[in-house]
């Protein structure tokens, strides 16, 4: 008989009575033998038939919070670390601020959470300041840091609650690992590591999915040095692309809870790491251990989706529109470049179709003009900047009022541009999808036309989630264009598979499930796509001498 007793919030003390039970426990990831007993990660308790006690009920929580937010507050106060994976616009920041308020005002819930560090994208600095004003009136001093000079001046004043001091610092990701070129050293990281933080929040935490970047390594160092701080990782899409993305997020949140990166990828990913220890491109979630990983994550991850609160949101209607390529001179270029015998890399093919293809621009403009007959504000999203510029030009020639935002638009100006667009009686907003996927309000648009697919689930889910909001003025219609006989077919297959993996692990968001349902129609394989594409190119050349 297997018996489990909690040693601390991270580990269980497990005893067994038979060799078979000992052998089974030894196969669990992270299990350690110690003096005839086993130490097993607490998130594996369900595998052993152990149900952890519920977080104790805390009184005095703000009554404006939704039940899932209350659960998040109690988990943060009880366990100390949580991944809050609420879908877009469901109040992740307010949950963390409420937990800080309770610990600050009540001595029976632990030490005061000051000083506190909040790391977020530069676009969200002002958003966090507004959230403090909303959820914690009369809060301790909060300082926004947007440059290295401001960081140095802030650190000179020192954290505290006195005059000219600060209790919470809000800083962007880019400043965490800023390297001084003259001194050739990371002075900002040294300053931030010297503070004994009692509360740490990482907003849009999917930005640190890779353990190889300087920002990820810097935040891992800060987190490891502050093991007793209350830590919250906030993201509507914690799995940016593939299951390996989740390992480093949990490593920063609770170091060692998922074991080593090698063992994690070897067990839970398909082709994550080969036998020699080298990283290989992941090809999805290992179905044999999917349920095990989902149960481990559930212990530290709280998920809330819009589907659970559907009565508060307008209807969402995504539609997949398949279109036929236009006649373009690029067909002959295709025959000259790729004869079917060459094995080009996928990235090369992507770049080629971006340069030579763009065969969806004409149909996309026509659909946008038709949609504008019923939608006062329409959002047109592309993946490439060049496509965005071309769509903008054609819509302007058609007499439409067009607002354009790309990654080249300064981050500070994007919010003002969107606020001005929302005040217009009617307009068409053309954007590259990555430029508006974080901390921007685009719910004034009730129609979304996705011209180019992104194979990254995070891009699609964040874009659709920010359009579909409680503040939407009516039903939200989404049109996803898919080009027959092109790499769109391959990208649709890949996107569908990745969304399925995310749904298995943490539960897909409302918009993600809607997109998955739209993409459910069977799409051909890469070989079928290339065969169809080559045959179409040959027929164009034979039928049209001007191609």
């Amino acid at each position: 008989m297997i018996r489990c007793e909690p040693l601390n919030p991270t580990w269980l003390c497990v005893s067994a009575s038979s060799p078979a039970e000992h052998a089974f426990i030894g196969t669990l990831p992270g299990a350690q033998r110690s003096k005839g007993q086993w130490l097993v990660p607490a998130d594996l308790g369900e595998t052993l038939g152990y149900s952890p006690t519920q977080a104790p009920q805390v009184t005095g929580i703000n009554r404006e919070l939704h039940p899932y937010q209350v659960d998040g507050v109690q988990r943060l106060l009880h366990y100390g670390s949580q991944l809050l994976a609420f879908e877009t616009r469901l109040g992740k920041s307010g949950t963390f601020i409420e937990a800080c308020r309770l610990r600050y005002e009540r001595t029976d819930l632990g030490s005061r959470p000051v000083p506190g560090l909040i790391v977020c994208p530069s676009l969200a600095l002002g958003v966090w300041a507004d959230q403090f004003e909303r959820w914690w009136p009369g809060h301790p001093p909060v300082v926004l840091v947007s440059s290295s000079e401001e960081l140095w001046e802030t650190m000179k004043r020192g954290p505290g609650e006195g005059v000219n001091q600060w209790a919470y610092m809000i800083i962007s990701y880019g400043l965490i690992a800023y390297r001084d070129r003259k001194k050739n050293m990371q002075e900002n990281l040294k300053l931030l590591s010297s503070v004994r933080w009692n509360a740490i929040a990482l907003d849009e935490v999917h930005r640190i999915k890779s353990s190889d970047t300087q920002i990820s390594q810097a935040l891992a160092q800060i987190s490891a040095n502050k093991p007793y701080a209350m830590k919250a990782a906030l993201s509507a899409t914690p799995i940016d692309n593939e299951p390996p993305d989740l390992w480093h997020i949990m490593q920063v949140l609770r170091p060692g809870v998922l074991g080593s990166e090698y063992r994690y990828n070897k067990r839970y990913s398909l082709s994550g790491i080969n036998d020699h220890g080298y990283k290989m491109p992941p090809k999805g979630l290992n179905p044999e251990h999917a349920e095990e990983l989902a149960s481990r994550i559930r212990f530290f991850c709280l998920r809330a989706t819009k589907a659970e609160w559907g009565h508060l949101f307008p209807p969402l209607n995504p539609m997949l529109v398949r279109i036929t390529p236009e006649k373009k001179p690029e067909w002959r270029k295709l025959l000259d470049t790729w004869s079917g015998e060459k094995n080009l890399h996928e990235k090369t093919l992507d770049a080629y179709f971006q340069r030579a293809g763009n065969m969806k621009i004409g149909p996309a403009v026509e659909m946008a003009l038709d949609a504008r007959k019923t939608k006062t504000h329409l959002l047109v999203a592309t993946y490439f900047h060049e496509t965005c510029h071309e769509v903008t030009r054609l819509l302007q020639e058609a007499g439409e009022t067009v607002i354009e935002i790309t990654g080249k638009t300064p981050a500070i100006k994007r919010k003002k541009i969107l606020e001005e667009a929302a005040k217009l009686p009617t307009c068409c907003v053309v954007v590259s999808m990555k430029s508006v996927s974080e901390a921007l309000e685009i719910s004034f648009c009730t129609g979304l036309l996705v011209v180019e697919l992104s194979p990254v689930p995070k891009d699609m889910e964040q874009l659709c989630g920010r359009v579909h909001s409680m503040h939407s003025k009516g039903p939200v219609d989404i049109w996803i264009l898919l080009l027959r006989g092109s790499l769109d077919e391959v990208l649709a297959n890949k996107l569908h598979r990745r969304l399925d993996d995310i749904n298995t692990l943490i539960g897909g968001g409302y918009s993600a499930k809607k997109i998955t349902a739209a993409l459910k129609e069977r799409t051909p394989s890469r070989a079928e796509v290339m065969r169809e594409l080559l045959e179409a190119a040959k027929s164009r050349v034979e039928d049209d001498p001007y191609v």
Side-chain angles (χ1 to χ4, degrees):
M1 180 178 180
I2 298 177
R3 295 182 179 180
C4 304
E5 295 181 2
L7 183 64
N8 54 43
T10 305
W11 293 94
L12 293 176
C13 184
V14 182
S15 59
S17 57
S18 68
E21 291 173 345
H22 280 284
F24 169 72
I25 297 172
T27 62
L28 298 178
Q32 302 175 13
R33 189 74 178 267
S34 176
K35 297 181 180 180
Q37 293 184 328
W38 291 89
L39 293 178
V40 177
D43 54 319
L44 286 177
E46 294 183 9
T47 307
L48 299 172
Y50 171 77
S51 299
T53 56
Q54 296 293 328
Q57 299 297 314
V58 179
T59 59
I61 297 179
N62 192 331
R63 294 185 178 181
E64 294 184 12
L65 296 181
H66 293 290
Y68 62 86
Q69 291 177 293
V70 174
D71 191 13
V73 171
Q74 293 172 347
R75 280 172 171 247
L76 281 170
L77 296 176
H78 181 63
Y79 297 118
S81 300
Q82 278 293 303
L83 171 59
L84 301 180
F86 302 168
E87 206 172 350
T88 309
R89 303 294 183 187
L90 288 186
K92 297 181 288 293
S93 55
T95 303
F96 174 77
I97 293 172
E98 178 65 12
C100 290
R101 182 189 70 82
L102 288 171
R103 285 187 60 183
Y104 184 86
E105 296 178 353
R106 294 176 54 178
T107 57
D108 60 322
L109 298 177
S111 59
R112 284 192 170 187
V114 292
L117 176 66
I118 299 167
V119 187
C120 63
S122 56
L123 284 171
L125 291 174
V127 175
W128 270 94
D130 295 339
Q131 290 294 311
F132 266 97
E133 295 294 336
R134 176 185 177 184
W135 295 106
W136 193 354
H139 57 77
V142 176
V143 60
L144 275 66
V145 177
S146 57
S147 66
S148 294
E149 291 75 15
E150 292 181 3
L151 177 61
W152 281 81
E153 290 297 326
T154 302
M155 296 302 289
K156 286 181 181 179
R157 289 185 285 161
E161 302 175 55
V163 180
N164 295 327
Q165 290 185 315
W166 50 270
Y168 292 93
M169 176 187 292
I170 306 175
I171 189 172
S172 65
Y173 279 100
L175 289 177
I176 294 292
Y178 176 79
R179 184 179 293 275
D180 192 324
R181 295 182 179 179
K182 296 181 180 179
K183 300 180 181 179
N184 195 29
M185 57 192 307
Q186 295 173 330
E187 294 292 343
N188 290 0
L189 177 58
K190 288 186 176 182
L191 284 174
L192 294 171
S193 298
S194 64
V195 179
R196 186 176 179 179
W197 304 105
N198 287 320
I200 300 175
L202 305 178
D203 193 14
E204 304 294 354
V205 74
H206 52 261
R207 287 191 167 212
I208 62 169
K209 63 178 183 178
S210 174
S211 59
D212 299 329
T213 64
Q214 291 184 357
I215 295 176
S216 298
Q217 294 170 0
L219 288 172
Q221 178 180 334
I222 294 174
S223 176
N225 293 339
K226 313 295 183 297
Y228 300 107
M230 183 178 69
K231 303 172 188 176
L234 317 177
S235 178
T237 53
I239 301 178
D240 182 271
N241 202 357
E242 296 280 3
D245 298 342
L246 193 61
W247 179 86
H248 191 257
I249 294 175
M250 299 304 296
Q251 180 70 8
V252 173
L253 194 64
R254 279 181 174 267
V257 71
L258 292 180
S260 67
E261 186 176 11
Y262 172 82
R263 293 188 66 182
Y264 174 88
N265 288 327
K266 189 71 174 177
R267 186 172 182 84
Y268 299 121
S269 297
L270 296 176
S271 302
I273 287 184
N274 63 14
D275 294 334
H276 301 285
Y278 295 103
K279 290 184 179 180
M280 302 293 290
K283 297 181 180 179
L285 178 66
N286 187 345
E288 295 182 3
H289 306 293
E291 290 300 326
E292 176 188 307
L293 180 58
S295 65
R296 298 186 68 179
I297 295 171
R298 199 176 300 121
F299 191 81
F300 302 106
C301 174
L302 181 60
R303 182 69 163 166
T305 66
K306 295 175 181 177
E308 303 167 10
W309 304 90
H311 60 285
L312 299 177
F313 294 86
L316 177 65
N317 308 307
M319 293 165 280
L320 189 66
V321 182
R322 295 181 179 272
I323 59 177
T324 304
E326 298 175 321
K327 290 186 177 182
K328 289 275 186 176
E330 284 75 16
W331 288 111
R332 179 174 291 280
K333 184 177 180 180
L334 172 63
L335 287 177
D336 297 337
T337 307
W338 185 80
S339 62
E341 299 175 357
K342 298 179 182 179
N343 185 18
L344 297 179
H345 192 274
E346 181 180 342
K347 291 184 179 179
T348 306
L349 290 172
D350 280 344
Y352 169 74
F353 276 99
Q354 189 272 321
R355 294 193 307 270
N358 286 344
M359 295 177 240
K360 292 191 290 185
I361 291 180
V365 173
E366 293 178 2
M367 286 200 64
L369 293 175
D370 290 339
R372 285 282 292 106
K373 297 176 182 178
T374 57
K375 303 291 182 181
T376 57
H377 293 82
L378 176 69
L379 183 69
V380 181
T382 69
Y383 188 78
F384 297 104
H385 293 177
E386 291 78 3
T387 311
C388 185
H389 297 326
E390 185 66 15
V391 171
T392 299
R393 183 183 66 81
L394 292 176
L395 287 174
Q396 288 176 340
E397 291 179 356
E400 290 290 334
T401 302
V402 183
I403 306 296
E404 182 183 6
I405 298 177
T406 66
K408 298 179 181 179
T409 307
I412 302 178
K413 294 183 179 180
R414 295 177 198 175
K415 183 178 180 180
K416 295 181 180 179
I417 292 175
L418 290 173
E419 289 175 351
E420 294 176 358
K423 296 177 182 179
L424 296 176
T426 177
C427 72
C428 188
V429 183
V430 184
V431 301
S432 58
M433 60 178 62
K434 288 183 178 291
S435 65
V436 295
S437 62
E438 294 178 352
L440 290 176
E441 180 62 50
I442 53 178
S443 61
F444 63 89
C445 297
T446 56
L448 169 61
L449 178 61
V450 181
V451 180
E452 293 169 323
L453 280 175
S454 169
V456 181
K458 185 264 298 183
D459 295 340
M460 300 294 294
E461 190 172 354
Q462 289 270 3
L463 179 66
C464 297
R466 294 192 178 279
V467 174
H468 184 236
S469 169
M470 294 182 186
H471 308 295
S472 298
K473 299 178 181 179
V476 178
D477 297 321
I478 300 177
W479 299 275
I480 303 175
L481 298 188
L482 196 66
L483 186 68
R484 290 190 179 96
S486 74
L487 281 183
D488 272 3
E489 304 279 8
V490 179
L491 295 181
N493 268 331
K494 184 175 293 187
L495 181 62
H496 187 276
R497 190 263 301 166
R498 289 174 173 172
L499 287 171
D500 274 345
D501 288 348
I502 294 174
N503 184 51
T504 300
L505 288 181
I506 63 173
Y510 181 69
S511 56
K513 289 182 178 180
K514 289 283 189 177
I515 296 172
T516 304
L519 296 174
K520 194 174 182 180
E521 181 181 348
R522 193 258 178 191
T523 54
S525 65
R526 177 186 296 276
E528 293 172 332
V529 167
M530 288 305 168
R531 191 183 307 114
E532 180 182 349
L533 191 58
L534 184 60
E535 291 175 357
K538 289 181 178 179
S539 65
R540 295 284 186 181
V541 174
E542 293 172 357
D543 298 340
D544 191 348
Y546 298 102
V547 175

